[in-house]
Structures are given as C-alpha cells and as structure tokens.
Amino acid sequence: MKTAGRWLIVLSLLSALYGASCPPPLKPGDPLRGLSAAELQRFERGRAAFARVFTPETGLGPLFNADGCAECHEDPAVGGSGDEVEVHRALLRPDGFCDPLADRGGPVFQQHATPALQAALGIDHEPEPAESTARAARSTPDVFGFGLLEAVPDSEIIAYADPDDRDGDGISGRPNFSLDGRLGRFGRKAFVPTLKEFVEGAYVIEQGITDPAVPTEESIGGRPIPAGVDTVPEPEIGQEELDLTEDFTRFLAAPQPLPLGGEGQRGRAIFEKIGCASCHLPSLTTGDSPVRALRYQRVYAYTDLLLHDMGAERADICFGQALPSEFRTEPLMGAHLMKTFLHDGAAKSIEEAVELHGGEAAAAKARFDGLPKGERAALLKFLNSL
Amino acid sequence: MRLAHRAVLLAFAAPIAAALLCTCSAAQPPAPAAATAPERLTGTVTAVHAQPRSFDLVTAVGHSLRSRRVLQPAGVTIEAHGAATAPAALYPGCIVRVECRSGPTGAVASKIELLQTPSARP
C-alpha cells in the first residue's frame, strides 16, 4: 500500500512535469515548435501583416483578387485555405513553347477592379486575352508548413525525379523550373522556387500592392494603368512589412494529423500498396537552414514536389515547363482541414478527388476502384486524418 | 530517507526529462539581398526581333511576370560559356542573363549571356 502510494506520487509528478514541459497539440495557424523568441515575435507581427486589409487609399488594386492575404487564406485560421478561385491563362505555341502571356497581363487575371479603374475603363475585372489556349481555375490552398517545404534541398526533389520512367513503374515525375532556370516547388505547377518570391509576387498579383521586390503594378491586360487611377506611391508596402509576411508564412507549422486508429493504420498500408505513395511521397527531409526549427526536419507532406501527368481531362494551362496536363503533386498534409480538393477545387471530398485522377495516376485509381469496401473505407479514413 | 533520496533524484531528473521532451532553439532570420547596378535581368526569351535587333525577355517574381523589350546594340554579342555565339543561338525558350540600362524604347543591353537553351534542360 505504501509502495503503491509512492508510485502514485512519482506518476503524478511525472505527469505534471510532462504537462508543464510540453505545449498543447498544434492547432492550425500555430507557429513551428522550436522558434526563438525573436522568431516568434516576427511570426506574430507577420500574422498582423498577413491579415492587413487594404483599400484603394492604401494601395489596393487597381486590379486585384482580394483585399488582403487573409481574405482568401482564412479557414480554419489565418494562413488556411479559402473558397476563392482565381483565373490563370497561358498560350501553348505550336512549337511547344509555353507563353505565360506576361505582355497581356498574364498568367494571373484579376477578378476585381477598384472603383477608380471601373470608372476609367468600364471594367470590373482584367480582360482575358483571346489568343490564350487555355484557362485555368486555381483554388486557394492553405500555406501551413510551407516553410518546411521551402527548406527541402533541391537535390532531394531532383533525386525523386524519373522523367523517363526508368524504373518502369509508370510514374515519371519531373521538376519544373522558373523562368531563370531555378528549380520550382510552389504553386500548382511548381513554378516558384522560394516562399519569399511567392509572397513578393502575391502581393502584386493578388492585391495590386507593390512591394520593394516588385515595385511596378500589373498592367491592365497588357495596357498601362490610366492616369489618376492609382495615386499611391510605389512601393505600396515597405521591406519590413514584406519580410514579416514572409516570416509568418515561413514559420507556420505543418498541420497536425488526426490520431490514427486501427482502421486508419490499415489505410496507410493500403495507400502504399496501391501506389498513391509513388507521387504522394509520405515524407521529405529539410536541409540546413538559418532557422533552427526548419533545419533537418522530417515533414510529412505527402508530396514529391514534382510534376506528374494527371490526364487530359484535368489539363488546363502550361506554365514554365509544365505541360497542360502536368501538375505538382498536391501536398496532402492538412487534408482533414480542406473543404475542396485538387488544383481547381473541383472535388468536394477526398474520395471524389481520387476519382478525378488520371494520367500517371490512372493505375492507382483503378486499384482504388477495385478495393473491397472495407479497405476503401480504411484508406479514406487514413486520407481524412492527414 | 529513501523517499527523500528519490525526491532529490527526481528533482535532478526533471529538467533533463523536460529538455528531452521538448527542445527550443534560437536562430537568425536570413538577411535581405542588396540591390545591384546596372540592372541585371535573368529570364526567358519569348520572342526575337531582327529590326532593330532585340528580344522580349520575361522575368518572374513568384507568379508576377514582367515582359521587357531588350535592344541588342551593334557590338554587343551573345556569350555562351564565355565565348561569343551566333545571333541565331537566341530563340524563344532560351534563358539569358542581361546587363542593361533603361532607354527610350526599352532596356539597352551591355552584356548578354546565354545560360540555357530549351534542348539543354534537365
């Protein structure tokens, strides 16, 4: 009895110690664990910058898709996904060259115009060029854990590429590159090399907010902005606000998956067995980083960050070296938080998203369709836990 | 006495266990890059024009793209691997690095380096 009492004391102390020393489970929108006090402070200030709402008087537009980062990246927390869908266009020339229509305002065509632009040109969105060969819808993904994806070395991504399918498994992931030849990884076509550039460009294309990295406004379908329509001096935000926004996105933690029961564990094995993991690679490992919390971390992103052929039915625009039917493997981390799936938000459930896979994924999809009811349920249980 | 001994051991073990269970760290954020002059652009050629000799160059910052007309004055050659190459070496899809300054009808190149042709892509 006395011994049992002592053990009870020890267990209580250990339990109290564990509770006091470990933070509660990560919630969506929380920062990475292991950030320094200074980084945490920048994260919090960056969240405020990310949530800032712009008006025409503070630089919004004249063309824009949203009045702030968090207008779209909002669910279930700042940095999350959104129900906004934007429009991209490109021209695939007969010789195979992909023209992003930069001289016509492409590839992103903004869906809103400020009152001043509406009054000047009588338009409420950017005109879309008739010469484009395809129009793409792009849903709003969350950006949780993207700092970890940025920290994955190029060499690791390249190592998973198999453009000529030399291993004969029917999967031939290949990298995309930005216009200056660097490896891309962000965006649905893996066109953007770094999170920093993604944020720098997003301020301008999404909100019409110029920044020190992009100090000129987007054109109006390739034409200049009429005089007097945007009188706010460039750049419309300073370097500090830009850096804070970048740090907020960089320091966002990856979503914590839901606990896996026995059925989910079986589902994980089925995920591997039927070939989903050939593209949705369960984990990547970060390399060296000036941020210790990003350094040499394993990130369970369920992507290889490479382009794969998704089939003719899903094809839309080319971008960089990505062909119309090629898309970067969508990260599945945070799948349990998502309300729509695929690059265009066409699927309302994971099951529907699987059914819309084609191209290189056709064989895995056929195996999914052939699963017994229980195995199919187990796989969906696993996917919905990510 | 034995209970007190265990309590002392626990007191020493507690911070070690706490450190093992959760690690926190300090790090410095990356420093911003400095601007350079004259202007240096790296991008993809989308069109080549004979008269006046020029080409259209598209550069990217994220998904924000800009198209620039770059004039190639007489005497400015295209370099590839440190040697001058024929004008025909430049065609849509090529990646080039250009040093230039602004002129009345576009950027005027003072140096053009051919970095990659589409056929040489990995």
Side-chain angles (χ1 to χ4, degrees), chain A residues 181-199:
Chain A
R182 287 173 300 140
L183 180 78
R185 65 181 69 192
F186 292 108
R188 262 55 185 270
K189 295 276 184 175
F191 178 77
V192 182
T194 66
L195 204 48
K196 175 181 169 62
E197 290 161 82
F198 200 98
V199 172

Side-chain angles (χ1 to χ4, degrees), chain A residues 150-162:
Chain A
E150 183 183 48
V152 174
D154 285 4
S155 56
E156 180 167 357
I157 300 169
I158 296 287
Y160 294 121
D162 183 18

Side-chain angles (χ1 to χ4, degrees), chain A residues 51-345:
Chain A
R52 181 179 172 189
V53 175
F54 291 92
T55 64
E57 291 71 34
T58 55
L60 180 70
L63 287 169
F64 62 100
N65 283 323
D67 60 12
C69 308
E71 186 195 346
C72 299
H73 296 284
E74 60 178 346
D75 186 22
V78 174
S81 60
D83 55 8
E84 289 80 1
V85 177
E86 62 180 46
V87 174
H88 296 197
R89 279 188 176 271
L91 166 66
L92 184 59
R93 293 184 189 162
D95 63 1
F97 176 68
C98 180
D99 184 342
L101 299 168
D103 58 350
R104 300 283 188 281
V108 180
F109 289 86
Q110 291 79 17
Q111 298 303 296
H112 302 290
T114 56
L117 185 63
Q118 290 182 35
L121 295 182
I123 57 171
D124 61 5
H125 64 277
E126 184 169 32
E128 296 175 29
E131 64 264 44
S132 67
T133 47
R135 187 177 198 263
R138 290 287 177 266
S139 62
T140 309
D142 69 59
V143 295
F144 301 140
F146 276 29
L148 291 160
L149 295 182
E150 183 183 48
V152 174
D154 285 4
S155 56
E156 180 167 357
I157 300 169
I158 296 287
Y160 294 121
D162 183 18
D164 303 317
D165 191 21
R166 288 191 178 164
D167 63 6
D169 66 351
I171 305 297
S172 55
R174 67 188 190 108
N176 198 3
F177 296 89
S178 188
L179 296 176
D180 58 6
R182 287 173 300 140
L183 180 78
R185 65 181 69 192
F186 292 108
R188 262 55 185 270
K189 295 276 184 175
F191 178 77
V192 182
T194 66
L195 204 48
K196 175 181 169 62
E197 290 161 82
F198 200 98
V199 172
E200 290 168 347
Y203 261 114
V204 186
I205 55 168
E206 306 297 1
Q207 300 162 63
I209 297 295
T210 55
D211 58 54
V214 189
T216 56
E217 295 280 5
E218 294 283 299
S219 67
I220 315 293
R223 305 179 74 166
I225 297 167
V229 162
D230 183 350
T231 56
V232 180
E234 322 293 3
E236 291 160 334
I237 59 167
Q239 191 66 52
E240 177 68 355
E241 187 167 354
L242 182 61
D243 290 345
L244 286 169
T245 309
E246 287 167 14
D247 278 349
F248 171 68
T249 55
R250 183 169 292 116
F251 296 160
L252 274 167
Q256 194 151 320
L258 303 174
L260 267 189
E263 187 182 22
Q265 302 271 12
R266 282 198 305 281
R268 179 161 57 192
I270 294 162
F271 180 82
E272 304 252 355
K273 187 180 82 179
I274 69 170
C276 308
S278 298
C279 302
H280 292 284
L281 203 66
S283 70
L284 296 165
T285 305
T286 67
D288 200 3
S289 167
V291 178
R292 190 161 174 180
L294 294 170
R295 194 183 303 156
Y296 305 121
Q297 301 289 316
R298 180 158 283 204
V299 50
Y300 293 89
Y302 290 88
T303 175
D304 56 5
L305 297 174
L306 294 168
L307 297 172
H308 293 274
D309 177 17
M310 282 283 283
E313 287 191 16
R314 300 252 58 80
D316 50 38
I317 61 168
C318 59
F319 199 14
Q321 293 180 50
L323 298 172
S325 64
E326 288 181 316
F327 295 88
R328 182 202 60 179
T329 305
E330 190 75 359
L332 298 180
M333 61 178 177
H336 71 279
L337 303 170
M338 297 174 190
K339 297 202 167 63
T340 64
F341 301 85
L342 298 178
H343 50 271
D344 52 2

Side-chain angles (χ1 to χ4, degrees), chain A residues 22 34 93 179 216 218 290 321, chain B residues 10 22 25 27 44 46 66 121:
Chain A
C22 253
R93 293 184 189 162
L179 296 176
T216 56
E218 294 283 299
Q321 293 180 50
Chain B
L10 200 61
C22 301
S25 58
T44 295
T46 57
R66 295 289 181 271
R121 296 255 166 81

Side-chain angles (χ1 to χ4, degrees), chain A residues 15-36:
Chain A
S15 166
L17 170 69
Y18 186 83
S21 60
C22 253
L26 285 170
K27 299 187 302 297
D30 279 354
L32 291 161
R33 289 206 172 117
L35 292 175
S36 69

